[in-house]
Amino acid sequence: MNKFSVRRFGLLLRRDFSAGYKSVIIAMAAVGGFIFLVTVVSALGRQLGPIHKTMYYPLLFIGGYVVTSLAFKELHLNGQSVFYLTLPGSGLEKYLSKLLVTSVGYAFGSLFFYTAISAAAEGINRLIFGYGHPFFNPFQRYTLIAVAVYLVTQAVFLVGSVYFRKLAFIKTNLYIWLFGIVLAVLVAVITWLIFRDFAIGNRIKLEPYFQRLGESGEMQAVFVPMAEKFGQVAKVLFWGVMAPVCWVVSYLRLRETEV
Amino acid sequence: MTESLTETGIEIRNLSFGYTKERLFSNLDLTLGGGNIYGLLGKNGAGKTSLLKLICGLRFPDAGTCSVLGWEPQNRPATLLEDIYFLPEEFYTPPISAELYRQIYAPFYPRFSAEAFREYLGEFDLPTKKRLSELSYGQKKKFLLAFGLSTRCRLVLLDEPTNGLDIPSKSQFRRLLAGAGQEDRIILISTHQVRDMENLIDPIIILDEGQIIFQQSMYEVTRRLQVEMQMEQPSGDRVLYSEKALGGYVVVRRNESGEETQLDLETLFNTVIANRDRIGELFAQEDMKVPERDSAGGLA
């Protein structure tokens, strides 16, 4: 009862909705207007490629990451932080309410919203011009994969939202870049250490090495299965580990927040 | 079955806390029971707000224990939060009307009384349709106070509640709070505005140098301390505190006559701060001898 109550969870969701619905309506009007305009103008110019896939992804990813980065904004504002932390609700309830809204809520909300807006825009195109872009299909495989990727990666921005007092979206992006750079440097150093015998100047030429492996049969016997295993591990890390780790880290951080 | 103090009150034992390596509190002990409006007094930086935050789980102790209504506040259990209302000095009001605020936030508090809320709003003469963000600072504070008292929480923590209130509002505040006391309710008020709290807060808690140096009821204060005005500058060991005032000196002495005098909170605070050891000894004495008076009314 202390950890999770459906009643309190519902109250928190209701509170978040009533606090944010006006901003959501304004954002929807702005984004909807933009989508509408681009759809009609590009039809007018007879550019009839798969425009909706191109436009939905930024809405899903960039929009979703921005929304997620703002999820715990009140935790970092004077006055509001005291109000939020003393609001009757457990840490778990508060955390799950934000997680639900920014992950599943945003993904399916944006999917529904985009489908409706693009369908309306394409209907008008067909009425006015007699033609239009292909309709946006929310059940297309790539769209559903994009939604799944969003659900996993937004967890990183949720960590940023709990950790950073200001500019959480920008700071989280910077940290992701920094992480990428560190990883790239690490891979470069390891590659250099392993394959330095193949170095010609400051470049590593691996063609002779792979040729030799191919000839000896080692490539098929050892390296291909190893690469497959590596791919499997990377998939498990991405799909199964990354998001839960981020959820636990951000939940613990929320619990430990002092103001 | 009688509930233990830890289930109905606040029990702090050997609590240490600090923002830096330098401790704000070291081995602080405090016990508060229900049915009182406690006044928490202290100099700037003494840690009054920090103590309130520790009690409601916004800050975590470095060492020691803090038990509030039977719960550890640093875990911020929902059941405890349903029973605590904290009005900080720097507060937040969302940009919604009082009525909508009630609809959204009252269900978080299981014992919320809508009837009491309406009464308090009326008492403070607050609009219900206007957005809270459009109200003045004092009006916002009165609104949050009205809401807090209507929650029927067993623990109400108020940090500088009269700051920013106009003169009529201060009277309304006192009246409202005096009527809001319940048998099982602890109201803890941290304040500098001691004059606003006269005849309201009792017992008095004084925090200084990381310790509770004084925690006494006004009855005990009156019984053990005596205040009087005199023309000449007082001297002698029996004087605990004196200060120059209009028309003479206000002098605080040990009450040896048994006569009750009205010691205001500001003078009491200054007396305790200036003589913490002597005051500590005086109040630690189990009982006091009240000497006979001579024929002239003076002490024999």
Side-chain angles (χ1 to χ4, degrees):
Chain A
M1 185 62 187
N2 235 333
K3 286 274 179 204
F4 193 86
S5 136
V6 176
R7 184 187 69 86
R8 284 194 303 257
F9 184 67
L11 289 173
L12 286 167
L13 285 176
R14 180 183 163 204
R15 169 194 174 268
D16 281 351
F17 176 77
S18 61
Y21 81 95
K22 279 183 185 163
S23 310
V24 171
I25 288 171
I26 292 167
M28 278 167 72
V31 173
F34 177 76
I35 293 167
F36 210 87
L37 195 72
V38 171
T39 307
V40 174
V41 169
S42 65
L44 191 66
R46 286 194 169 269
Q47 291 173 339
L48 301 174
I51 185 178
H52 294 302
K53 208 164 73 176
T54 320
M55 283 208 294
Y56 175 64
Y57 291 166
L59 174 69
L60 173 67
F61 288 103
I62 300 174
Y65 294 155
V66 170
V67 167
T68 305
S69 299
L70 294 172
F72 288 103
K73 192 181 166 194
E74 61 189 322
L75 202 59
H76 309 297
L77 296 171
N78 284 346
Q80 286 197 37
S81 54
V82 170
F83 183 76
Y84 182 63
L85 290 173
T86 55
L87 194 64
S90 69
L92 187 65
E93 288 156 1
K94 286 175 185 172
Y95 180 75
L96 288 181
S97 70
K98 298 287 187 189
L99 177 65
L100 184 71
V101 169
T102 57
S103 61
V104 179
Y106 183 84
F108 289 103
S110 67
L111 204 60
F112 179 77
F113 168 70
Y114 192 89
T115 307
I117 286 288
S118 62
E122 291 306 337
I124 286 173
N125 276 349
R126 279 161 177 79
L127 272 177
I128 298 173
F129 309 117
Y131 59 83
H133 309 91
F135 277 100
F136 175 67
N137 178 6
F139 304 108
Q140 213 172 18
R141 188 168 175 266
Y142 285 108
T143 305
L144 294 177
I145 289 174
V147 167
V149 170
Y150 169 75
L151 292 178
V152 170
T153 52
Q154 72 90 222
V156 178
F157 285 84
L158 207 58
V159 176
S161 178
V162 182
Y163 267 84
F164 299 122
R165 286 185 72 83
K166 284 178 181 174
L167 306 170
F169 176 66
I170 294 169
K171 286 179 182 169
T172 310
N173 271 303
L174 287 175
Y175 269 83
I176 292 169
W177 276 98
L178 194 70
F179 177 73
I181 290 167
V182 169
L183 205 66
V185 169
L186 205 68
V187 168
V189 169
I190 291 168
T191 308
W192 179 261
L193 289 173
I194 296 172
F195 299 107
R196 63 184 159 189
D197 294 342
F198 298 91
I200 300 165
N202 60 354
R203 295 184 67 184
I204 295 172
K205 288 267 185 191
L206 289 174
E207 287 86 350
Y209 176 64
F210 287 132
Q211 201 177 352
R212 207 174 65 209
L213 286 178
E215 283 163 6
S216 67
E218 266 185 272
M219 182 69 98
Q220 280 302 318
V222 180
F223 280 88
V224 172
M226 195 189 284
E228 280 172 358
K229 275 272 185 301
F230 183 77
Q232 282 170 354
V233 170
K235 270 186 185 170
V236 169
L237 285 177
F238 181 79
W239 291 109
V241 177
M242 190 173 86
V245 166
C246 289
W247 294 335
V248 171
V249 168
S250 42
Y251 167 64
L252 292 178
R253 177 70 181 184
L254 174 65
R255 272 182 57 103
E256 288 164 7
T257 300
E258 294 181 67
V259 293
Chain B
M1 194 182 79
T2 314
E3 283 182 297
S4 69
L5 181 63
T6 50
E7 283 163 354
T8 58
I10 299 172
E11 202 164 287
I12 296 174
R13 291 282 166 268
N14 300 319
L15 183 135
S16 295
F17 172 78
Y19 293 97
T20 56
K21 280 182 184 172
E22 202 175 313
R23 292 248 182 270
L24 183 59
F25 306 133
S26 285
N27 297 318
L28 183 135
D29 291 322
L30 178 67
T31 304
L32 305 179
N36 290 308
I37 302 176
Y38 292 91
L40 179 62
L41 314 181
K43 291 188 275 193
N44 288 331
K48 302 186 294 294
T49 302
S50 298
L51 185 59
L52 295 187
K53 286 185 170 182
L54 281 158
I55 289 170
C56 65
L58 292 170
R59 283 277 168 189
F60 307 155
D62 298 331
T65 59
C66 177
S67 167
V68 176
L69 308 175
W71 301 94
E72 279 186 38
Q74 70 252 43
N75 295 331
R76 295 197 277 258
T79 313
L80 175 64
L81 294 177
E82 284 175 350
D83 236 342
I84 292 184
Y85 187 80
F86 176 41
L87 176 57
E89 194 177 4
E90 198 174 335
F91 51 79
Y92 166 73
T93 46
I96 53 176
S97 69
E99 181 51 29
L100 188 56
Y101 187 96
R102 183 194 65 77
Q103 286 173 20
I104 294 170
Y105 293 101
F108 281 100
Y109 298 92
R111 287 187 298 280
F112 187 88
S113 164
E115 195 185 329
F117 184 56
R118 270 195 302 276
E119 274 176 32
Y120 292 145
L121 288 185
E123 177 90 14
F124 276 140
D125 197 21
L126 288 167
T128 53
K129 301 274 184 255
K130 212 171 169 183
R131 280 179 172 209
L132 296 176
S133 51
E134 290 167 6
L135 302 179
S136 71
Y137 176 85
Q139 283 179 310
K140 285 178 188 171
K141 194 166 228 177
K142 287 191 284 185
F143 170 79
L144 291 176
L145 193 68
F147 184 85
L149 294 177
S150 309
T151 60
R152 302 267 192 249
C153 285
R154 279 192 291 161
L155 178 58
V156 177
L157 305 169
L158 307 174
D159 194 5
E160 301 292 353
T162 54
N163 267 5
L165 295 190
D166 56 23
I167 295 163
S169 298
K170 285 180 181 179
S171 310
Q172 288 166 339
F173 165 79
R174 274 199 298 269
R175 198 164 54 241
L176 211 124
L177 212 62
Q182 294 165 218
E183 187 69 21
D184 62 345
R185 181 180 255 184
I186 299 171
I187 300 176
L188 179 57
I189 303 174
S190 154
T191 188
H192 285 114
Q193 315 282 339
V194 282
R195 285 181 190 175
D196 298 337
M197 300 294 159
E198 292 286 356
N199 302 321
L200 178 70
I201 52 176
D202 186 9
I204 308 298
I205 301 163
I206 297 177
L207 189 60
D208 194 44
E209 294 175 0
Q211 293 291 328
I212 301 293
I213 59 166
F214 187 83
Q215 184 181 351
Q216 296 292 336
S217 67
M218 285 310 285
Y219 169 75
E220 282 302 317
V221 170
T222 314
R223 206 164 76 90
R224 292 173 194 254
L225 297 176
Q226 189 176 43
V227 63
E228 59 187 21
M229 277 292 286
Q230 65 181 56
M231 297 300 288
E232 300 85 31
Q233 186 164 9
S235 60
D237 291 345
R238 286 171 53 211
V239 175
L240 290 165
Y241 177 75
S242 72
E243 66 179 26
K244 200 164 176 14
L246 200 63
Y249 289 85
V250 175
V251 185
V252 180
R253 293 190 176 91
R254 179 183 164 158
N255 187 357
E256 292 176 325
S257 66
E259 192 186 326
E260 284 188 10
T261 54
Q262 190 68 36
L263 181 62
D264 66 70
L265 289 175
E266 195 174 315
T267 311
L268 170 66
F269 178 77
N270 289 333
T271 306
V272 175
I273 291 290
N275 293 278
R276 54 186 289 181
D277 293 337
R278 285 177 73 189
I279 291 289
E281 283 166 21
L282 177 62
F283 278 86
Q285 289 169 11
E286 275 301 303
D287 213 349
M288 292 172 58
K289 274 186 185 172
V290 179
E292 297 287 323
R293 284 180 174 271
D294 60 21
S295 55
L299 291 168

